[in-house]
Amino acid sequence: MSSPSAIPASVRWGPLRTLLRLSPLLLLAPLYAYREYHALPQPLVDLVNSETSLPQISEAQILSYAKTLSEDIGYRTVGTREHALGDAWMVKQAQDLKTQCEEAVNANSSRKLECEVWRQEGSGSHRFDIMGKRLYKTYVNLTNIIVRVSDGTEEGKEHAVLVNSHVDSTLPSPGAADDALSVGVMLDCIRVLINTPDWQPKHAIIFLFNNAEESLQDGSHLYTTQHPTAKTVRAAINLEAAGTTGPELLFQATSEEMIQAYAHVPRPFGTIIASEIFGSGIMMSDTDFRQFELYLNVTGLDMAVTGNSYLYHMRKDLVENIETGVAQHMAENTLALLQYLSSEESPLPSLTAGYSKPTTVYFQSFSYFFVYSFKTAQILYTVLFILSIALVNWTFVPPAPALKQGRGIISDNLAGIVAVGGAVFGAVLGVNAVAFVMDSVLHKPLSWFTQELSCVALYGPAALAGAFISQLFVPRVREVTVLTSMLLVQTFSAFLLQFIGIGSSALFFLSSLALFTALAVNAVVKKPGQDVSLWAYAIGQSIPSTTGAQMMYGVLEVFVPLTGRMGEEAPAEHIIATIVAISGAYALPLSIPFIHRWPRTVLKRAIVLLSILTTLAIAVFSAREPFDAMHQKRVFVVHMENITSGEQNLHVGAADSAPGFNVLAHDIAERFGVPGAPPKYVAMNDWNPEWDTIYPFSAFITPYKLDLPLRPEYMDPLEHSFTVEAVNDNIDAEAGTRKLTLQVNHPGIIWTTVAFDAHVLEWTLDKNPPAEYARHHIKEGSFYGHDVWTVDLLIKLPPSSSSTEDDHPGKIRVDFVGIHEKAMWPGKKAEKAEGGRAMQLFEELDGWLDETKGGTVDATFLGCVGGVVWV
Ligand SMILES: *[C@@H]1O[C@H](CO)[C@@H](O)[C@H](O)[C@H]1NC(C)=O
Ligand SMILES: *[C@@H]1O[C@H](CO)[C@@H](O)[C@H](O)[C@H]1NC(C)=O
Ligand SMILES: *[C@@H]1O[C@H](CO)[C@@H](O)[C@H](O)[C@H]1NC(C)=O
Ligand SMILES: *[C@@H]1O[C@H](CO)[C@@H](O)[C@H](O)[C@H]1NC(C)=O
Ligand SMILES: [Zn+2]
């Protein structure tokens, strides 16, 4: 019998004892990393520090602003009365600060300080492509509130930093974190700055309290294209939220200077990985930062609170759900940025190069913030790659003849690379097999939805099992060979990815630094007859167990809640499973050399054990419900009054792949619809006007259409004044064109959308409409009480033979919809009596949903009016 362990058993511990020996690192490092990743500062209450008598950031103050906006004023959806109240409140805050500013100057005449306030009002239009759809926004009399803090001189105002937050909130949400929190942060920053006795800005700070972001960035478009101060902006800082907990994340940073500026904040939290993930468009969201890039052509920093993203755009985005310390973190970081950018050392005057693709690597690790250029990165990673080859070459010992005859260094490491690659492939395959079982066999997808990291319990063992099973199919390799080939793979990946301009390659650089050190130490400390010392494991795992674990937390905390809004079609289960496999492979790489430390029987036992664990996990998870009261299912309900057909319908849709929505739609139809009429499943596409108010996000919705019982008293007299018509209509038969103004009158109706098919040659929306016959969607957003908008069109007349409908030669069919300003639930709950039948129905349906679903559903109810007209 040829034993693989020629070493006496007494020298080596068994696999379990060895694991036990390593367990402090394996368990404590990720826990420590977790705490570190989520650490927040102590929140402060007092406005002034009692020891220094200097003003300080007060979380209590910030949250009181956020509470006023989100609860006293309420849902500040663009076009509603509450939105106008938010505007008025904001003007008052700005004026109060201006008064404080003047008092500070009166108290100390040598202080150079000036605060100017504007309430900007204006109209405009812009193209806004999102989620692969072409879309146009037009807006009437929307507003922004602007405060400029400067030293009062022309030179001081020449170069300014812009800081932006939005006062409005989205349709289904009171928007406490998104974005009243940021509004509060900016207000408190102004207070601290102007009340600091010896502070005066060398460069101006422009605070933009933007009052229309959720209507697709109209406010920032208005500011950037029309405000007199816009041309002085050299850099932009955007403050946002897509969640309610954890430190504020820097997720877009677009110049080295601004990244260096960020290095001045007390608690940096951001990495180029977040930026590259966001930049890929996979998040399906966008911020005002886009307008600053497009129309101001400046660089800057985009930051958001992203933890607990379950509450993003939900009813429960309330102050009580904002984690303690979040406001303090956000405000102290913002304040430090503004102090630096307005100071003598500020890079603002030199930031004239405009926006271009960023070429700086940055990440924070254990409260250090690292910044280096792509050029430096390329040199570093190349050097490490070359050093790794040297190290592997230097430490190479030919395999024992018993194991493999005559394998040289290259073939030995090639075999190792096959093992390492096989393990990653195996892990991905393993988790996807389990995902298939959960989704397609057991019909229990999203079982991990309520807790971001719980999917690791379901897919972690499967990933490891898959990785280990793959090792049965690869050539036998030595433990040390797996390590050396892993080092080569990682350093080469860092080198290659950086070469093609991917800054996230820093991840491979970091983990390979640990591996490199591990192998170098191993060469010195390993005992005779031993391949790899346990020290090598401790060192090699150090970075993966911390940085790798943090990457896993970050990615899962964003993507798990996202699966609740990515639509029924998205393969959510497989996406999450694959994320666990890939990030797990990064966080626990040394599991592969470790399994090769032992005889084959250990590998086989480990596979059996992991398979049992996976089976148990499947059993436990398939008994779980996907949603609960704080991690709700998103449901959209549209009550449509069709002016053209006289029908009233209810449209219901969900945005996730959890099963059972079909049954829910039937239950709703049975209870609220026409008796005996089942709900109809509707295909979602660009010709689906019922859902145009939320186009193009409607693409994520699985809709059902229900007939409502028709009663004359349900008909709302308002709708008859909602009209779309062609005015100034002129046909130029010779040129084959028609010139018209499309005029939409929408008293009492907001967020109107028109959609039509035409070959547009020119229009007032932008300079280059597509040069073909196509479908166009134009969405409007206007200030409360403004109820007319127009667009001028020059269209190509269709050849008379191909006229779409004989009844309407040469005419365009326009689908139009809008929302009753008084029929939005729960936003308009307080004045439900004015919302008519739709609001009564919403109240009943909401109560019924709450009762039957135990509070696990958050439904948005929109009372819409729509129709069709040929113009
Ligand atoms: C609103 O905008 C229009 C142009 O779009 C402008 O004529 C008008 O003065 C603005 N203000 C108000 C209060 O209507
Ligand atoms: C008055 O303002 C100047 C300039 O900012 C500052 O240096 C000085 O400390 C201030 N004096 C007092 C009493 O706050
Ligand atoms: C921004 O400015 C830079 C430098 O002036 C220029 O190269 C670039 O094309 C500009 N980008 C846009 C979108 O205008
Ligand atoms: C209204 O009814 C007409 C005629 O049935 C239909 O073509 C149109 O799509 C409906 N529009 C909406 C918004 O429901
Ligand atoms: Zn927002």
Side-chain angles (χ1 to χ4, degrees):
M1 190 186 90
S2 92
S3 155
S5 50
I7 313 142
S10 61
V11 177
R12 294 182 65 150
W13 295 302
L16 287 181
R17 276 190 70 185
T18 311
L19 269 182
L20 207 63
R21 189 97 184 160
L22 288 170
S23 62
L25 173 79
L26 290 177
L27 300 176
L28 294 182
L31 280 180
Y32 176 71
Y34 184 86
R35 283 195 49 177
E36 212 258 352
Y37 187 76
H38 296 91
L40 286 168
Q42 200 60 39
L44 300 177
V45 175
D46 296 341
L47 302 184
V48 174
N49 183 313
S50 55
E51 276 165 32
T52 61
S53 305
L54 290 172
Q56 63 184 9
I57 292 291
S58 160
E59 172 156 315
Q61 175 88 347
I62 295 169
L63 293 181
S64 79
Y65 291 132
K67 196 158 174 148
T68 304
L69 278 172
S70 58
E71 292 175 36
D72 300 348
I73 294 176
Y75 288 55
R76 305 168 308 287
T77 310
V78 170
T80 61
R81 194 176 61 83
E82 291 76 5
H83 178 249
L85 293 178
D87 175 78
W89 178 85
M90 200 60 244
V91 171
K92 173 150 193 328
Q93 302 312 307
Q95 273 159 355
D96 286 355
L97 283 166
K98 184 174 153 82
T99 308
Q100 277 187 37
C101 196
E102 284 159 2
E103 284 165 5
V105 175
N106 289 341
N108 179 351
S109 56
S110 59
R111 188 125 180 247
K112 286 168 76 182
L113 186 67
E114 184 189 24
C115 297
E116 297 155 276
V117 171
W118 289 264
R119 178 179 180 274
Q120 182 189 17
E121 183 183 80
S123 310
S125 49
H126 54 120
R127 176 168 163 175
F128 190 89
D129 291 11
I130 192 158
M131 294 171 34
K133 301 283 187 189
R134 185 172 46 86
L135 179 69
Y136 300 87
K137 281 297 331 258
T138 186
Y139 57 88
V140 181
N141 297 91
L142 286 181
T143 63
N144 290 310
I145 289 83
I146 297 139
V147 179
R148 176 165 68 185
V149 181
S150 70
D151 66 0
T153 67
E154 282 314 304
E155 311 82 74
K157 295 174 187 175
E158 195 183 341
H159 308 290
V161 54
L162 177 77
V163 50
N164 174 68
S165 61
H166 64 92
V167 186
D168 67 311
S169 73
T170 188
L171 284 171
S173 174
D178 177 14
D179 199 21
L181 173 65
S182 306
V183 170
V185 162
M186 279 169 46
L187 286 171
D188 213 40
C189 283
I190 304 180
R191 174 185 65 81
V192 169
L193 289 172
I194 62 185
N195 289 300
T196 302
D198 57 355
W199 180 79
Q200 55 193 34
K202 172 92 166 66
H203 302 290
I205 307 173
I206 298 172
F207 294 86
L208 170 56
F209 298 93
N210 157 351
N211 205 15
E213 190 271 348
E214 303 286 6
S215 63
L216 303 178
Q217 305 172 8
D218 298 326
S220 47
H221 180 266
L222 170 65
Y223 175 79
T224 55
T225 56
Q226 296 182 33
H227 200 263
T229 62
K231 56 184 178 299
T232 67
V233 173
R234 301 286 169 263
I237 296 171
N238 189 42
L239 304 178
E240 264 288 3
T244 62
T245 65
E248 178 202 33
L249 174 75
L250 172 66
F251 66 97
Q252 289 201 83
T254 50
S255 63
E256 174 137 16
E257 290 88 344
M258 288 303 282
I259 296 168
Q260 294 289 0
Y262 187 75
H264 289 79
V265 308
R267 288 181 189 79
F269 186 71
T271 103
I272 188 161
I273 303 163
S275 162
E276 289 182 343
I277 291 178
F278 187 82
S280 71
I282 197 170
M283 308 305 305
M284 310 178 295
S285 62
D286 198 13
T287 71
D288 283 322
F289 209 64
R290 180 204 289 210
Q291 307 295 322
F292 305 140
E293 276 171 5
L294 267 179
Y295 298 101
L296 297 178
N297 196 4
V298 296
T299 64
L301 305 170
D302 199 357
M303 300 183 275
V305 177
T306 57
N308 193 26
S309 182
Y310 298 102
L311 301 188
Y312 174 55
H313 288 183
M314 295 287 250
R315 284 185 210 191
K316 286 188 176 155
D317 181 359
L318 294 167
V319 169
E320 66 198 51
N321 294 321
I322 299 178
E323 188 186 3
T324 305
V326 169
Q328 197 75 30
H329 179 268
M330 193 173 198
E332 285 179 0
N333 278 2
T334 306
L335 181 67
L337 275 170
L338 297 180
Q339 282 167 334
Y340 173 72
L341 289 169
S342 63
S343 73
E344 296 278 351
E345 297 108 82
S346 172
L348 286 181
S350 67
L351 283 174
T352 48
Y355 165 76
S356 59
K357 199 169 181 293
T359 54
T360 309
V361 182
Y362 62 95
F363 51 88
Q364 106 284 349
S365 183
F366 298 96
S367 59
Y368 289 100
F369 190 65
F370 295 88
V371 183
Y372 50 85
S373 70
F374 273 20
K375 211 177 266 165
T376 308
Q378 196 66 68
I379 296 170
L380 274 179
Y381 305 172
T382 310
V383 168
L384 186 65
F385 180 46
I386 293 169
L387 285 179
S388 298
I389 294 174
L391 179 70
V392 170
N393 195 25
W394 174 57
T395 57
F396 181 72
V397 179
L403 199 62
K404 186 78 193 179
Q405 289 282 314
R407 212 190 246 173
I409 181 166
I410 294 184
S411 54
D412 193 40
N413 276 288
L414 279 180
I417 290 171
V418 171
V420 170
V424 177
F425 182 73
V428 171
L429 213 62
V431 295
N432 278 288
V434 175
F436 180 79
V437 170
M438 293 304 291
D439 194 11
S440 306
V441 179
L442 301 175
H443 303 293
K444 290 283 180 185
L446 268 56
S447 57
W448 30 260
F449 183 75
T450 53
Q451 213 288 323
E452 293 104 325
L453 300 184
S454 65
C455 54
V456 179
L458 176 59
Y459 289 116
L464 211 48
F468 284 177
I469 291 172
S470 73
Q471 300 304 297
L472 294 171
F473 300 96
V474 300
R476 286 215 67 175
V477 279
R478 288 177 300 165
E479 182 186 10
V480 70
T481 305
V482 183
L483 280 169
T484 54
S485 40
M486 195 175 273
L487 174 67
L488 295 175
V489 168
Q490 292 204 1
T491 49
F492 180 69
S493 303
F495 162 81
L496 183 74
L497 292 178
Q498 186 57 57
F499 186 74
I500 60 172
I502 299 176
S504 303
S505 55
L507 270 177
F508 285 118
F509 173 66
L510 289 178
S511 55
S512 58
L513 265 186
L515 263 183
F516 183 89
T517 315
L519 278 166
V521 169
N522 188 54
V524 179
V525 305
K526 71 169 181 169
K527 300 205 176 72
Q530 196 183 31
D531 261 357
V532 181
S533 147
L534 282 194
W535 284 108
Y537 279 95
I539 299 169
Q541 252 316 125
S542 62
I543 288 181
S545 286
T546 49
T547 304
Q550 291 190 344
M551 184 196 64
M552 188 183 239
Y553 304 147
V555 173
L556 288 177
E557 283 174 14
V558 167
F559 279 88
V560 168
L562 191 65
T563 59
R565 53 180 196 268
M566 55 168 61
E568 190 188 26
E569 302 295 315
E573 198 68 24
H574 292 271
I575 292 173
I576 294 301
T578 306
I579 289 176
V580 172
I582 302 277
S583 59
Y586 180 78
L588 208 57
L590 298 198
S591 54
I592 301 307
F594 188 78
I595 203 69
H596 285 275
R597 189 180 178 91
W598 317 101
R600 211 66 160 182
T601 46
V602 173
L603 171 64
K604 288 178 184 159
R605 274 184 217 150
I607 292 172
V608 171
L609 183 67
L610 289 164
S611 305
I612 294 173
L613 279 179
T614 300
T615 313
L616 283 177
I618 292 177
V620 170
F621 275 81
S622 51
R624 285 171 58 134
E625 288 298 324
F627 306 104
D628 67 23
M630 288 308 283
H631 311 88
Q632 293 164 296
K633 181 182 185 76
R634 291 165 195 255
V635 168
F636 298 83
V637 179
V638 167
H639 178 275
M640 180 63 71
E641 301 176 9
N642 192 320
I643 299 175
T644 312
S645 67
E647 291 171 312
Q648 293 179 4
N649 294 103
L650 209 56
H651 301 269
V652 296
D656 61 73
S657 59
F661 188 63
N662 180 352
V663 177
L664 182 62
H666 278 82
D667 289 350
I668 295 175
E670 201 166 290
R671 193 164 170 110
F672 298 93
V674 169
K680 288 187 275 296
Y681 177 78
V682 185
M684 185 62 86
N685 57 35
D686 281 1
W687 288 264
N688 206 334
E690 300 92 338
W691 288 96
D692 271 352
T693 31
I694 55 169
Y695 181 86
F697 299 97
S698 49
F700 289 120
I701 288 186
T702 319
Y704 287 87
K705 179 175 179 177
L706 282 60
D707 293 333
L708 286 179
L710 263 189
R711 296 205 203 124
E713 68 269 26
Y714 294 171
M715 295 303 281
D716 193 308
L718 240 189
E719 66 199 33
H720 302 297
S721 44
F722 184 11
T723 57
V724 177
E725 58 198 326
V727 295
N728 309 323
D729 203 350
N730 280 302
I731 293 182
D732 184 338
E734 213 162 291
T737 61
R738 179 179 168 208
K739 205 172 177 174
L740 72 155
T741 299
L742 200 64
Q743 179 170 313
V744 181
N745 296 289
H746 55 98
I749 289 165
I750 64 172
W751 283 51
T752 58
T753 302
V754 299
F756 56 89
D757 298 270
H759 184 165
V760 176
L761 299 169
E762 282 172 29
W763 57 11
T764 39
L765 298 172
D766 74 345
K767 294 257 178 303
N768 41 349
E772 58 184 346
Y773 184 80
R775 186 149 184 89
H776 306 285
H777 283 84
I778 310 173
K779 306 186 76 165
E780 163 266 351
S782 301
F783 203 75
Y784 183 58
H786 291 273
D787 48 20
V788 184
W789 64 274
T790 58
V791 55
D792 298 341
L793 302 169
L794 178 68
I795 57 170
K796 198 164 155 183
L797 282 174
S800 49
S801 58
S802 78
S803 170
T804 22
E805 301 235 344
D806 293 342
D807 296 353
H808 312 277
K811 300 262 174 178
I812 321 172
R813 178 193 152 114
V814 181
D815 285 299
F816 61 96
V817 297
I819 311 172
H820 264 303
E821 194 265 330
K822 304 224 178 307
M824 300 160 77
W825 186 274
K828 289 284 180 172
K829 212 183 237 181
E831 42 189 13
K832 63 185 180 194
E834 293 173 57
R837 168 63 191 162
M839 283 298 265
Q840 267 170 287
L841 181 67
F842 293 164
E843 184 170 27
E844 281 169 45
L845 182 46
D846 195 31
W848 177 85
L849 267 177
D850 216 36
E851 212 171 277
T852 52
K853 295 285 151 190
T856 61
V857 168
D858 180 325
T860 301
F861 299 88
L862 302 173
C864 295
V865 184
V868 183
V869 61
W870 290 87
V871 298

Short mmCIF file of all heavy atoms in Angstrom, two decimals, residues 165-166 168-170 177-180 182 213-214 238-242 286-288 312-313 317, ligand 5:
data_model
loop_
_atom_site.label_atom_id
_atom_site.label_comp_id
_atom_site.label_asym_id
_atom_site.label_seq_id
_atom_site.Cartn_x
_atom_site.Cartn_y
_atom_site.Cartn_z
N SER A 165 -29.19 68.20 -3.44
CA SER A 165 -30.09 67.17 -2.90
C SER A 165 -31.47 67.50 -3.46
O SER A 165 -31.67 68.58 -4.00
CB SER A 165 -30.13 67.21 -1.38
OG SER A 165 -30.60 68.46 -0.95
N HIS A 166 -32.43 66.58 -3.33
CA HIS A 166 -33.75 66.91 -3.88
C HIS A 166 -34.83 66.92 -2.81
O HIS A 166 -34.85 66.09 -1.92
CB HIS A 166 -34.11 66.03 -5.07
CG HIS A 166 -34.26 64.57 -4.80
ND1 HIS A 166 -35.47 64.00 -4.48
CD2 HIS A 166 -33.36 63.56 -4.83
CE1 HIS A 166 -35.31 62.69 -4.33
NE2 HIS A 166 -34.04 62.39 -4.53
N ASP A 168 -38.19 66.95 -3.52
CA ASP A 168 -39.37 66.18 -3.89
C ASP A 168 -39.19 64.71 -3.51
O ASP A 168 -38.09 64.26 -3.24
CB ASP A 168 -39.61 66.30 -5.40
CG ASP A 168 -38.52 65.64 -6.23
OD1 ASP A 168 -37.33 65.92 -5.96
OD2 ASP A 168 -38.83 64.84 -7.13
N SER A 169 -40.31 63.99 -3.50
CA SER A 169 -40.22 62.54 -3.29
C SER A 169 -40.97 61.83 -4.41
O SER A 169 -41.72 62.45 -5.16
CB SER A 169 -40.79 62.15 -1.92
OG SER A 169 -42.19 62.25 -1.91
N THR A 170 -40.75 60.53 -4.50
CA THR A 170 -41.31 59.81 -5.63
C THR A 170 -42.76 59.40 -5.36
O THR A 170 -43.25 59.52 -4.24
CB THR A 170 -40.43 58.59 -5.95
OG1 THR A 170 -40.89 58.00 -7.16
CG2 THR A 170 -40.51 57.57 -4.85
N ALA A 177 -35.48 59.33 3.84
CA ALA A 177 -34.06 59.18 3.51
C ALA A 177 -33.81 59.71 2.10
O ALA A 177 -32.81 60.36 1.85
CB ALA A 177 -33.65 57.72 3.62
N ASP A 178 -34.73 59.43 1.21
CA ASP A 178 -34.62 59.81 -0.20
C ASP A 178 -35.60 60.94 -0.50
O ASP A 178 -36.72 60.67 -0.87
CB ASP A 178 -34.89 58.59 -1.08
CG ASP A 178 -34.86 58.91 -2.56
OD1 ASP A 178 -34.39 59.98 -2.93
OD2 ASP A 178 -35.33 58.07 -3.36
N ASP A 179 -35.27 62.19 -0.30
CA ASP A 179 -33.94 62.67 -0.09
C ASP A 179 -33.97 63.80 0.94
O ASP A 179 -33.09 64.65 0.98
CB ASP A 179 -33.37 63.15 -1.44
CG ASP A 179 -31.85 63.25 -1.45
OD1 ASP A 179 -31.21 62.61 -0.62
OD2 ASP A 179 -31.34 64.01 -2.27
N ALA A 180 -35.06 63.75 1.80
CA ALA A 180 -35.19 64.80 2.82
C ALA A 180 -33.98 64.80 3.75
O ALA A 180 -33.55 65.86 4.22
CB ALA A 180 -36.48 64.60 3.60
N SER A 182 -30.88 64.28 2.98
CA SER A 182 -29.80 65.07 2.36
C SER A 182 -30.12 66.56 2.40
O SER A 182 -29.21 67.39 2.52
CB SER A 182 -29.59 64.63 0.92
OG SER A 182 -29.37 63.25 0.85
N GLU A 213 -36.47 65.83 -8.82
CA GLU A 213 -35.54 64.78 -9.24
C GLU A 213 -36.30 63.53 -9.65
O GLU A 213 -36.02 62.93 -10.66
CB GLU A 213 -34.57 64.45 -8.10
CG GLU A 213 -33.40 63.55 -8.53
CD GLU A 213 -33.68 62.07 -8.42
OE1 GLU A 213 -34.68 61.65 -7.81
OE2 GLU A 213 -32.90 61.28 -8.98
N GLU A 214 -37.29 63.17 -8.86
CA GLU A 214 -37.99 61.90 -9.11
C GLU A 214 -38.83 61.94 -10.37
O GLU A 214 -39.23 60.90 -10.89
CB GLU A 214 -38.86 61.53 -7.90
CG GLU A 214 -38.09 61.44 -6.58
CD GLU A 214 -37.21 60.19 -6.45
OE1 GLU A 214 -37.10 59.44 -7.43
OE2 GLU A 214 -36.64 59.99 -5.37
N ASN A 238 -23.23 65.20 -5.17
CA ASN A 238 -24.64 64.83 -5.16
C ASN A 238 -24.93 63.95 -3.96
O ASN A 238 -24.20 63.00 -3.69
CB ASN A 238 -24.99 64.10 -6.46
CG ASN A 238 -26.47 63.88 -6.61
OD1 ASN A 238 -27.26 64.77 -6.31
ND2 ASN A 238 -26.85 62.70 -7.04
N LEU A 239 -25.98 64.28 -3.23
CA LEU A 239 -26.33 63.52 -2.02
C LEU A 239 -27.67 62.83 -2.23
O LEU A 239 -28.68 63.48 -2.48
CB LEU A 239 -26.42 64.46 -0.81
CG LEU A 239 -25.19 65.31 -0.52
CD1 LEU A 239 -25.45 66.21 0.68
CD2 LEU A 239 -23.97 64.42 -0.26
N GLU A 240 -27.67 61.52 -2.12
CA GLU A 240 -28.86 60.73 -2.45
C GLU A 240 -29.09 59.63 -1.43
O GLU A 240 -28.29 59.44 -0.51
CB GLU A 240 -28.68 60.10 -3.83
CG GLU A 240 -29.32 60.91 -4.95
CD GLU A 240 -30.84 60.83 -4.92
OE1 GLU A 240 -31.41 60.20 -4.03
OE2 GLU A 240 -31.48 61.43 -5.82
N ALA A 241 -30.14 58.88 -1.64
CA ALA A 241 -30.39 57.69 -0.83
C ALA A 241 -31.17 56.67 -1.63
O ALA A 241 -32.08 57.01 -2.38
CB ALA A 241 -31.15 58.05 0.43
N ALA A 242 -30.78 55.41 -1.45
CA ALA A 242 -31.54 54.29 -2.00
C ALA A 242 -31.73 53.27 -0.88
O ALA A 242 -31.86 52.09 -1.12
CB ALA A 242 -30.81 53.67 -3.18
N ASP A 286 -30.53 56.02 -11.66
CA ASP A 286 -29.68 57.10 -12.12
C ASP A 286 -29.88 58.29 -11.18
O ASP A 286 -30.89 58.37 -10.50
CB ASP A 286 -30.09 57.46 -13.55
CG ASP A 286 -29.01 58.24 -14.24
OD1 ASP A 286 -27.89 58.30 -13.72
OD2 ASP A 286 -29.29 58.82 -15.29
N THR A 287 -28.92 59.18 -11.15
CA THR A 287 -29.06 60.34 -10.26
C THR A 287 -28.82 61.63 -11.04
O THR A 287 -28.36 61.61 -12.18
CB THR A 287 -28.04 60.30 -9.11
OG1 THR A 287 -26.74 60.56 -9.65
CG2 THR A 287 -28.02 58.95 -8.42
N ASP A 288 -29.09 62.74 -10.36
CA ASP A 288 -28.87 64.07 -10.93
C ASP A 288 -27.45 64.26 -11.46
O ASP A 288 -27.19 65.15 -12.25
CB ASP A 288 -29.12 65.13 -9.85
CG ASP A 288 -30.59 65.37 -9.61
OD1 ASP A 288 -31.36 65.36 -10.58
OD2 ASP A 288 -30.97 65.58 -8.44
N TYR A 312 -36.35 51.61 -0.13
CA TYR A 312 -36.16 52.57 -1.21
C TYR A 312 -37.46 52.73 -2.00
O TYR A 312 -38.03 51.74 -2.47
CB TYR A 312 -35.04 52.06 -2.12
CG TYR A 312 -34.80 52.85 -3.37
CD1 TYR A 312 -34.57 54.21 -3.34
CD2 TYR A 312 -34.80 52.22 -4.61
CE1 TYR A 312 -34.33 54.92 -4.50
CE2 TYR A 312 -34.56 52.91 -5.78
CZ TYR A 312 -34.34 54.26 -5.72
OH TYR A 312 -34.10 54.97 -6.87
N HIS A 313 -37.93 53.95 -2.11
CA HIS A 313 -39.17 54.26 -2.82
C HIS A 313 -40.37 53.48 -2.26
O HIS A 313 -41.23 53.02 -3.02
CB HIS A 313 -39.01 54.01 -4.32
CG HIS A 313 -38.14 55.05 -4.97
ND1 HIS A 313 -37.89 55.08 -6.31
CD2 HIS A 313 -37.49 56.11 -4.45
CE1 HIS A 313 -37.10 56.12 -6.59
NE2 HIS A 313 -36.84 56.74 -5.47
N ASP A 317 -40.18 54.53 3.96
CA ASP A 317 -39.01 55.40 3.96
C ASP A 317 -39.32 56.58 4.89
O ASP A 317 -39.66 57.68 4.44
CB ASP A 317 -38.67 55.88 2.54
CG ASP A 317 -37.44 56.77 2.52
OD1 ASP A 317 -36.86 57.02 3.59
OD2 ASP A 317 -37.05 57.23 1.43
ZN ZN B 5 -33.56 60.35 -4.58
#
